[in-house]
Amino acid sequence: MASPINVRTSARHALSVSPLSSVRSPQTSQLAIRAANPLFPCAKLSQARAVVAAAMDVSKHPSSSCLANRQPSKEVLETWRNADAVCFDVDSTVCLDEGIDELADFCGAGQAVAEWTTKAMTGTIPFEDALAARISLIKPSLSQVQDCLEKRPPRISPGITDLIKTLIANNTEVFLVSGGFRQMIEPVAFELGIPTENIIANRLLFGTSGEYAGFDTTEPTSRSGGKAVAVQQIRQDRGYKTLVMIGDGATDLEARQPGGADLFICYAGVQMREAVAAKADWTVFEFQELISELPQFNTSQ
């Protein structure tokens, strides 16, 4: 077999995957289908999935009332408002779904992979073990990844588009730091106006005929503690004074380390992981909670 090739999905690559439809927040509910790339001349979004996502009501968990961090402290709010950069997890945060679970289900390995995802997000096993186990169950070809993106485009979480627009308007740089795969994240970044160079994620590898050939184990997010390393590297390279991490899992919580994130905000609007939420600096169930505390929305400051 020929040596593995590194397949990207940016617009600059010959095998690029076009950004696909997403479900926006209720305030700006709309369906945008982009299929500019010739690889997807007939890309269509399932109406049923769109309706479900658009109508999704973020659940309020009874256990949330027991969280002391539902009301942020003065120090937390000050850090949030003055952040130079915000790093977002992707699966179950920026997007409603776990991308690898969607790919697994599409390829017929859904249940087994979902069980490993749960273990990874709760921190009960090393992330690298869970990632290797999940991808070995799927072994997706390039065509399967492309078909999955076309037929099951990533669904954007309600409110995230407005939050990212607000952060950018306040000159706060936005990054996507994910244990998922870049091939499935770049269309999301394009949709949200985030540069591809601001993505740190894993990468699937394919042979010259498009067959699965593994994944890049040199990416920091391919192993436990990787998000902390990634965030530390972002801060070091860009010289940010204040950096915030937002996510739902144990790997996101790990990013709050010296030289990494100053603040960890748990977004529990999709998945409520109580062990993670309890250790967060601030737990929110709607992105509007974060928007309302940003400077341009608080004229009394």
Side-chain angles (χ1 to χ4, degrees):
M1 183 182 74
S3 59
I5 58 174
N6 191 346
V7 178
R8 299 174 183 269
T9 54
S10 68
R12 297 184 295 273
H13 197 279
L15 289 175
S16 65
V17 175
S18 63
L20 297 171
S21 306
S22 61
V23 177
R24 297 181 181 274
S25 62
Q27 295 86 353
T28 58
S29 180
Q30 58 179 308
L31 204 56
I33 297 181
R34 291 188 173 91
N37 192 282
L39 285 176
F40 296 106
C42 300
K44 295 181 180 179
L45 177 66
S46 164
Q47 279 191 330
R49 283 173 59 81
V51 170
V52 169
M56 179 180 178
D57 182 20
V58 176
S59 61
K60 304 298 185 294
H61 297 262
S63 58
S64 68
S65 60
C66 301
L67 293 171
N69 58 15
R70 286 289 288 126
Q71 296 298 323
S73 67
K74 180 180 178 182
E75 292 75 20
V76 166
L77 284 177
E78 183 176 357
T79 302
W80 169 239
R81 292 167 180 167
N82 291 286
D84 300 313
V86 177
C87 296
F88 287 92
D89 172 46
V90 176
D91 298 333
S92 295
T93 301
V94 170
C95 294
L96 296 173
D97 307 299
E98 292 284 335
I100 194 168
D101 289 354
E102 284 292 296
L103 180 61
D105 185 62
F106 185 79
C107 295
Q111 183 174 351
V113 169
E115 291 173 0
W116 280 101
T117 297
T118 299
K119 294 177 184 178
M121 291 304 99
T122 56
T124 56
I125 63 170
F127 182 81
E128 57 267 31
D129 292 348
L131 179 62
R134 288 180 290 173
I135 201 63
S136 67
L137 288 167
I138 308 170
K139 294 184 178 177
S141 66
L142 175 59
S143 63
Q144 284 178 312
V145 173
Q146 293 172 340
D147 287 346
C148 183
L149 283 169
E150 179 183 1
K151 296 173 182 177
R152 298 189 183 187
R155 301 184 301 159
I156 305 299
S157 293
I160 190 65
T161 301
D162 292 338
L163 174 56
I164 289 175
K165 284 181 179 179
T166 304
L167 288 169
I168 292 173
N170 283 323
N171 297 316
T172 301
E173 194 149 10
V174 175
F175 293 83
L176 299 179
V177 181
S178 174
F181 292 102
R182 177 177 288 269
Q183 284 91 340
M184 303 187 74
I185 293 172
E186 286 191 353
V188 175
F190 186 94
E191 182 72 18
L192 296 173
I194 300 170
T196 55
E197 58 266 29
N198 284 15
I199 301 171
I200 298 179
N202 293 311
R203 194 187 306 278
L204 289 166
L205 302 176
F206 302 98
T208 53
S209 298
E211 72 275 15
Y212 172 72
F215 63 94
D216 187 352
T217 57
T218 66
E219 293 288 351
T221 53
S222 68
R223 52 191 177 271
S224 293
K227 286 190 179 180
V229 172
V231 170
Q232 289 167 343
Q233 192 65 51
I234 289 171
R235 187 164 194 162
Q236 179 180 329
D237 291 346
R238 305 291 185 99
Y240 295 124
K241 182 179 179 181
T242 305
L243 190 149
V244 174
M245 180 76 200
I246 300 176
D248 70 295
T251 57
D252 306 308
L253 176 62
E254 289 176 347
R256 187 186 57 191
Q257 292 189 16
D262 299 286
L263 193 72
F264 170 62
I265 299 174
C266 176
Y267 173 66
V270 177
Q271 294 286 342
M272 173 58 172
R273 308 186 199 279
E274 295 189 19
V276 176
K279 296 178 181 179
D281 297 294
W282 184 8
T283 295
V284 301
F285 285 85
E286 297 181 8
F287 287 120
Q288 183 59 43
E289 297 177 60
L290 301 178
I291 295 173
S292 64
E293 294 295 346
L294 289 172
Q296 70 179 68
F297 282 82
N298 201 332
T299 56
S300 63
Q301 294 187 76

